[in-house]
């Protein structure tokens, strides 16, 4: 029939094939915005493999871009490196540090801020005295050491008007009791009975002494680095606030930490001293600070005299406070050739031979190690039992007591340090000197 139509039966398509076909169509149409780019374009799989891959990588029926973001940005363990810069840099010896600083600053003209000129300095000093007489205390901030100019202010101005006490807060062994003891040594207070050495009673005794109307001479306290750790405790701040609020006690302090103003509350900073104090009244507390920019651009040579400036890892700890065990750390390489030579010159010949034996073994271990440039010298050390066996074979020490007696002098001066072995039991000994320095010391000792 001309008008008839022929219908052909289409083969049945399984649901699995329909899923594959839909996946292919999604590739041809440029992707669906419901799926992230990594699922649409980056997968090299086609057809059934791609469909299964999408199902395996996501438990969400329709994965949106938001789902993909949170799935691939899950919080996990932060991977940090153990190669700390301060541990990888080999510390300089004092001689190397001095030579490097001298060569770097050679030929550079010294910087002289205008405030350090004699004319401006006298003007600044007169302003400080005027503000102190008006009942304020002074805190100086700015880049550079302020120790020299404040000491000049104490000598040229304050000493002519009353008693002066200078406190070096940057010293690692300084504490608040040292300041109070120095104040109690001024004339007049030495004649008083001192029933107690408690810091709170000392501060109250000093406060009451300068509260008397018969006391006409004022006290000027110069505190270098009032932001140092000895003055940060609550008790130290309370004692200083008691003294600073006395109209006959004047405090001139310096700060270098950028967050130093946070040490005191706003009420302590903006408080005002009373004109007169009664002996029986409850004392008030506060600082009444006036802030002055005292930028000098002077190096902190005196303030940093107590730290190891040749080492990045040792610059945060003061030399006087640092314990002997500090050199026993795994990265201890701070012993200089000069210090080692002085120590070796004062010991017996057997002790020198024992040091040479230990040094040769350590150098041999460094040569045989894969990472010979490591600062972890403990891994190149020698077990105590093995050292005792070597010393007995060479007739340096025939007993454990004799060996420990020879090592005692070196340990007291930290020329030989020890620690418990990390892998096996027992004690490990090593010399805290890097390869070049140890080689020079052994060469000079043998010659």
């Amino acid at each position: 029939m001309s008008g008839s139509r022929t219908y052909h039966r289409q083969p049945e398509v399984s649901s699995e094939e329909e899923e594959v076909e839909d996946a292919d169509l999604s590739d041809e149409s440029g992707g669906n915005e419901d799926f992230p780019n990594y699922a649409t374009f980056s997968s090299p799989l086609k057809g059934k493999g791609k469909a299964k891959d999408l199902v395996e990588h996501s438990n969400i029926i329709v994965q949106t871009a938001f789902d993909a973001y949170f799935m691939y940005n899950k919080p996990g363990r932060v991977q940090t490196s153990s190669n700390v810069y301060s541990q990888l840099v080999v510390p300089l010896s004092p001689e190397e540090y001095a030579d490097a600083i001298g060569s770097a600053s050679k030929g550079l003209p010294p910087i002289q801020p205008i405030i350090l000129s004699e004319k401006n300095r006298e003007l600044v000093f007169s302003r400080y005295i005027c503000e102190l007489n008006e009942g304020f205390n002074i805190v100086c901030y700015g880049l550079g050491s302020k120790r020299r100019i404040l000491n000049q202010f104490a000598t040229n101005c304050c000493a002519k008007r009353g008693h002066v006490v200078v406190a070096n807060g940057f010293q690692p062994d300084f504490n608040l009791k040292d300041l109070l003891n120095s104040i109690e040594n001024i004339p007049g207070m030495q004649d008083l009975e001192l029933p107690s050495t408690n810091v709170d009673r000392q501060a109250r005794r000093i406060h009451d002494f300068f509260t008397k109307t018969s006391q006409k001479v004022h006290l000027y306290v110069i505190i270098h680095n009032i932001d140092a750790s000895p003055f940060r405790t609550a008790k130290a701040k309370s004692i200083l606030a008691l003294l600073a609020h006395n109209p006959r006690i004047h405090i001139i302090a310096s700060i270098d930490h950028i967050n130093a103003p946070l040490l005191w509350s706003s009420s302590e900073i903006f408080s005002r001293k009373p004109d007169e104090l009664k002996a029986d009244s409850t004392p008030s507390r506060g600082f009444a600070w006036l802030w002055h920019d005292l930028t000098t651009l002077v190096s902190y040579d005196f303030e940093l005299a107590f730290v190891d400036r040749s080492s990045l890892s040792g610059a945060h700890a003061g030399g006087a406070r640092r314990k002997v065990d500090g050199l026993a750390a795994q990265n201890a390489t701070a012993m200089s050739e000069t210090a080692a030579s002085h120590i070796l010159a004062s010991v017996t010949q057997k002790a020198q031979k024992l040091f040479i034996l230990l040094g040769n073994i350590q150098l041999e271990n460094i040569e045989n190690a894969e990472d010979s440039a490591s600062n972890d010298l403990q891994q190149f050390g020698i077990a105590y039992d093995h050292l005792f066996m070597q010393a007995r074979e060479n007739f340096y020490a025939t007993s454990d007591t004799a060996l420990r007696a020879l090592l005692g002098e070196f340990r007291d001066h930290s020329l030989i340090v020890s620690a418990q072995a990390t892998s096996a039991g027992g004690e490990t000994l090593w010399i805290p000197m890097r390869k070049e320095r140890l080689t020079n010391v052994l060469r000079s000792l043998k010659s």
Side-chain angles (χ1 to χ4, degrees), residues 269-284:
I269 294 176
F270 297 109
S271 62
R272 289 299 306 273
K273 294 183 179 182
D275 295 333
E276 285 294 336
L277 290 176
K278 296 181 181 180
D280 298 333
S281 61
T282 302
S284 58

Side-chain angles (χ1 to χ4, degrees), residues 91-108:
L92 300 176
S93 65
E95 295 82 4
E96 293 171 341
Y97 176 80
D99 294 341
I101 292 298
S103 60
S105 59
K106 187 179 297 183
L108 296 177

Side-chain angles (χ1 to χ4, degrees), residues 45-94:
L45 300 177
K46 297 295 182 181
K48 183 186 297 185
K50 182 174 181 180
K52 290 183 178 179
D53 185 70
L54 291 175
V55 174
E56 292 175 358
H57 282 77
S58 175
N59 294 326
I60 304 174
I61 298 176
V62 179
Q63 187 181 34
T64 64
F66 299 100
D67 299 326
Y69 174 82
F70 288 107
M71 178 178 294
Y72 280 83
N73 290 276
K74 294 179 180 179
R77 181 181 178 184
V78 179
Q79 299 294 333
T80 57
S81 175
S82 59
N83 296 328
V84 183
Y85 181 72
S86 60
Q87 296 180 357
L88 298 178
V89 176
V90 179
L92 300 176
S93 65

Side-chain angles (χ1 to χ4, degrees), residues 15-200:
S15 59
E16 184 177 2
E17 292 177 353
E18 288 179 353
E19 184 179 0
V20 174
E21 183 176 311
D22 292 339
D24 291 337
L25 290 176
S26 64
D27 284 345
E28 295 176 0
S29 61
N32 192 331
E33 64 179 0
D34 288 338
F35 290 90
N37 294 333
Y38 66 85
T40 306
F41 296 101
S42 61
S43 178
L45 300 177
K46 297 295 182 181
K48 183 186 297 185
K50 182 174 181 180
K52 290 183 178 179
D53 185 70
L54 291 175
V55 174
E56 292 175 358
H57 282 77
S58 175
N59 294 326
I60 304 174
I61 298 176
V62 179
Q63 187 181 34
T64 64
F66 299 100
D67 299 326
Y69 174 82
F70 288 107
M71 178 178 294
Y72 280 83
N73 290 276
K74 294 179 180 179
R77 181 181 178 184
V78 179
Q79 299 294 333
T80 57
S81 175
S82 59
N83 296 328
V84 183
Y85 181 72
S86 60
Q87 296 180 357
L88 298 178
V89 176
V90 179
L92 300 176
S93 65
E95 295 82 4
E96 293 171 341
Y97 176 80
D99 294 341
I101 292 298
S103 60
S105 59
K106 187 179 297 183
L108 296 177
I111 300 176
Q112 290 292 339
I114 299 178
I115 195 173
L116 296 181
S117 62
E118 184 176 356
K119 179 180 178 181
N120 292 325
R121 187 171 62 245
E122 295 299 328
L123 181 63
V124 170
F125 288 174
S126 62
R127 179 176 179 178
Y128 288 176
I129 288 295
C130 178
E131 293 172 349
L132 292 175
N133 292 335
E134 291 297 324
F136 293 98
N137 296 309
I138 295 174
V139 58
C140 301
Y141 64 94
L143 183 63
S145 174
K146 295 162 277 292
R147 172 182 166 273
R148 181 178 301 176
I149 189 171
L150 290 184
N151 285 345
Q152 291 177 353
F153 175 67
T155 304
N156 300 339
C157 299
C158 300
K160 299 177 181 178
R161 292 170 171 80
H163 306 295
V164 178
V165 175
V166 179
N168 294 322
F170 51 82
Q171 291 183 347
D173 55 348
F174 177 83
N175 55 67
L176 185 63
K177 191 172 182 61
D178 297 335
L179 173 62
L180 300 179
N181 291 338
S182 299
I183 296 176
E184 288 188 337
N185 289 330
I186 65 176
M189 290 206 67
Q190 294 178 340
D191 302 332
L192 299 177
E193 295 183 1
L194 305 178
S196 174
T197 58
N198 182 270
V199 289
D200 294 317

Side-chain angles (χ1 to χ4, degrees), residues 271-310:
S271 62
R272 289 299 306 273
K273 294 183 179 182
D275 295 333
E276 285 294 336
L277 290 176
K278 296 181 181 180
D280 298 333
S281 61
T282 302
S284 58
R285 299 175 187 267
F287 288 96
W289 289 129
L290 279 183
W291 302 78
H292 283 275
D293 184 1
L294 194 61
T295 300
T296 62
L297 302 180
V298 179
S299 61
Y300 295 91
D301 289 335
F302 193 84
E303 290 86 345
L304 296 178
F306 305 96
V307 301
D308 183 12
R309 291 176 288 175
S310 63

